[in-house]
Amino acid sequence: MESLAILAASPSKEAVSRFFRQGFMYRTTAVPALAIEETAAILECSTQHAAQAYASAQELIAAVLYTEVAPEEALSLLPESLDPNVSKLIVKTIYKLLPDFRQSAISTQPSLPKLEAVDWQVNIKTGSDKLHSMAVPTVLVNLQVQEEVTSTEQMPGVRDVKFELSKQSLQTLLDGLGKVRKQLDAVAV
C-alpha cells in the first residue's frame, strides 16, 4: 500500500475521491488504461505507479467494505511511512464513500428477482363466447420485478409480470400467502 503515497500530489480532495470511486468501480475488472493514464497525469507519476496505487486502493476498499473495520483499524492497514495527513485523507475519503460502495456492492450481487411493486385492477368480464364466464369478476395483477443479475458488472432492470386471477384463484393465493406469513412469524423472534 506504499503506492498510495502518490496521492500526496493530488490537486484536490475531489481528485482523491474520484480516484477511490474509480478503484471501486473497476474492482472486478482491470482498471482501463485510459483511467490509469489520466490518474498518472493528474498525480504526476508513471502509469506503473498509478496502476499499483489502484491495486492498493482496491485492496484497502475491500478490507474496509467486506470486513467492516473501524476507521482507526483502517489507518493501521496503511504503512507507517505514509504521510499521516495523506493517511487521514485516504481513510476519511473511503469512509465518506462507504455507504455508496455498500449500496452498489449489494445491488450488483447476482441474486434472485426481487419484488419492487404490486398493482391490481378488478375487472368484470362482460363478453365471452362461454355463457358461464360472462359477468365474472377477475383481478388483473401487475408485479414489477427487479430482474435477476447474472454479473457484478451490470445493473438490474425492472420488468412487469402481468397475470389474471379468478376469485377462486385469488383465494387460493391468499391462503398460501397466509401460510407463508404464519411460518415467517414462527421463525421471526
Side-chain angles (χ1 to χ4, degrees):
M1 291 207 202
E2 292 282 338
S3 57
L4 291 175
I6 65 170
L7 293 175
S10 177
S12 68
K13 291 179 182 180
E14 181 54 39
V16 173
S17 181
R18 186 173 48 253
F19 171 79
F20 280 102
R21 276 195 211 100
Q22 285 183 331
F24 177 78
M25 184 170 45
Y26 298 112
R27 69 192 182 281
T28 59
T29 61
V31 178
L34 182 61
I36 292 172
E37 290 168 8
E38 288 175 357
T39 299
I42 290 169
L43 300 177
E44 299 173 353
C45 66
S46 69
T47 55
Q48 182 180 2
H49 283 114
Q52 289 172 346
Y54 272 118
S56 295
Q58 290 168 336
E59 183 181 334
L60 183 60
I61 290 168
V64 171
L65 180 63
Y66 300 118
T67 60
E68 297 186 20
V69 298
E72 299 78 30
E73 294 175 62
L75 273 171
S76 70
L77 295 174
L78 296 170
E80 289 182 14
S81 60
L82 200 59
D83 182 328
N85 292 330
V86 174
S87 295
K88 288 177 185 174
L89 175 63
I90 289 170
V91 171
K92 184 179 177 182
T93 301
I94 289 176
Y95 277 89
K96 182 179 177 185
L97 297 171
L98 194 58
D100 293 338
F101 290 169
R102 277 201 179 110
Q103 183 61 38
S104 180
I106 290 168
S107 68
T108 58
Q109 286 181 344
S111 64
L112 294 173
K114 295 178 183 141
L115 182 63
E116 293 286 321
V118 178
D119 191 23
W120 69 90
Q121 177 181 344
V122 176
N123 275 355
I124 305 282
K125 286 189 177 181
T126 57
S128 176
D129 59 350
K130 297 177 182 152
L131 188 59
H132 70 280
S133 60
M134 296 272 303
V136 173
T138 61
V139 177
L140 297 175
V141 180
N142 181 28
L143 304 176
Q144 287 185 341
V145 180
Q146 188 180 60
E147 292 180 323
E148 188 173 349
V149 178
T150 56
S151 168
T152 58
E153 297 170 8
Q154 61 179 220
M155 294 299 290
V158 176
R159 65 182 165 100
D160 288 343
V161 177
K162 298 177 183 183
F163 55 93
E164 181 179 43
L165 293 171
S166 66
K167 186 175 180 179
Q168 183 181 7
S169 297
L170 178 61
Q171 188 58 48
T172 303
L173 176 65
L174 292 175
D175 290 344
L177 290 174
K179 290 176 184 176
V180 169
R181 182 178 13 177
K182 285 179 185 175
Q183 286 179 350
L184 287 175
D185 287 344
V187 173
V189 180

